Amino acid sequence: MVRRNDQRRAALVDAAIEVLAKQGARGLTFRAVDAEAAVPVGTASNYFANRDDLLTQAGARVYERLQPDEATLARQRAADRDRETYAELMRELVGRVAAFRTGYLALLELRLEATRRPELRRVLTERVRADVDANVAHHEASGLPGDAMAVKLLILALNWLIVEQLTLPDVFTEAEREDLVTAAVERIVTAGQGAG
């Protein structure tokens, strides 16, 4: 029987994210999650039907935790609508995502695991597609320069920059990463593009 204590479930899923980041998908066991969450052995197995259920919920939770808070959204809504502001917003985004290091590393593990698990692939595909669509819609509503293609190209470029920063942090200095984000915006979002 699967238990329903939502706080305990969230703590276990957060522990699963930490295990994925530290030990990889092969290290994700109910016992490892119990140890990471500092709960009695057998607790995780009471909350998740199976390992696939745990993997799927960990993937969803990473995206929940990567969402900007209301203060960040309000600041973005009040910002100017030019490429310089766009670049600043993208630098903030890269910093916010990279700050949740274990979450992003867990997400990379989940993506690799999804190549072998059709249900996880389906869930992650739906979640990533929804995230892309939400980013495009948010961008179009924001009035910032650029079109949907520019948003998608920035997503792809900045995701790999984040991977580089988290896995091989000495390849680029912090200043180089900031310059790369600015250059990506300046080169992908051309002056003639309108929003939409």
Side-chain angles (χ1 to χ4, degrees):
M1 179 175 159
V2 176
R3 298 234 171 122
R4 285 274 135 225
N5 178 332
D6 291 337
Q7 284 182 303
R8 172 69 57 96
R9 178 182 294 277
L12 290 166
V13 174
D14 286 342
I17 290 167
E18 296 298 317
V19 171
L20 281 166
K22 293 175 187 173
Q23 300 178 35
R26 291 190 183 263
L28 184 70
T29 64
F30 286 150
R31 186 176 292 271
V33 170
D34 290 339
E36 182 68 32
V39 297
V41 172
T43 302
S45 64
N46 290 324
Y47 282 84
F48 305 98
N50 51 43
R51 189 168 177 272
D52 285 344
D53 182 29
L54 181 58
L55 284 164
T56 300
Q57 290 193 39
R61 179 76 171 139
V62 168
Y63 279 99
E64 287 174 23
R65 290 183 56 190
L66 286 173
Q67 295 302 311
D69 61 20
E70 192 52 45
T72 300
L73 292 173
R75 192 174 62 254
Q76 290 173 355
R77 285 190 290 269
D80 290 335
R81 303 289 181 242
D82 54 27
R83 283 193 312 175
E84 185 178 316
T85 300
Y86 200 160
E88 179 57 33
L89 293 172
M90 294 300 99
R91 286 190 296 272
E92 285 180 15
L93 171 71
V94 169
R96 181 170 42 80
V97 172
F100 184 25
R101 183 177 192 276
T102 56
Y104 203 84
L105 292 175
L107 190 56
L108 293 175
E109 287 289 337
L110 288 166
R111 282 178 172 234
L112 291 172
E113 193 67 16
T115 65
R116 297 175 288 276
R117 296 178 180 276
E119 179 59 19
L120 181 59
R121 182 173 47 246
R122 183 190 64 74
V123 168
L124 287 179
T125 298
E126 288 174 5
R127 185 60 185 98
V128 170
R129 183 73 243 180
D131 190 51
V132 169
D133 292 345
N135 278 295
V136 169
H138 176 74
H139 176 80
E140 289 172 345
S142 75
L144 285 164
D147 59 9
M149 183 61 75
V151 172
K152 292 172 188 175
L153 288 169
L154 283 170
I155 288 170
L156 293 171
L158 298 182
N159 269 322
W160 194 257
L161 180 62
I162 293 166
V163 169
E164 200 75 34
Q165 181 176 346
L166 295 179
T167 60
L168 300 171
D170 298 326
V171 170
F172 299 112
T173 66
E174 184 176 339
E176 286 175 310
R177 287 191 299 267
E178 299 243 337
D179 290 345
L180 286 166
V181 172
T182 301
V185 171
E186 289 174 353
R187 293 177 186 194
I188 292 172
V189 181
T190 62
Q193 291 175 327

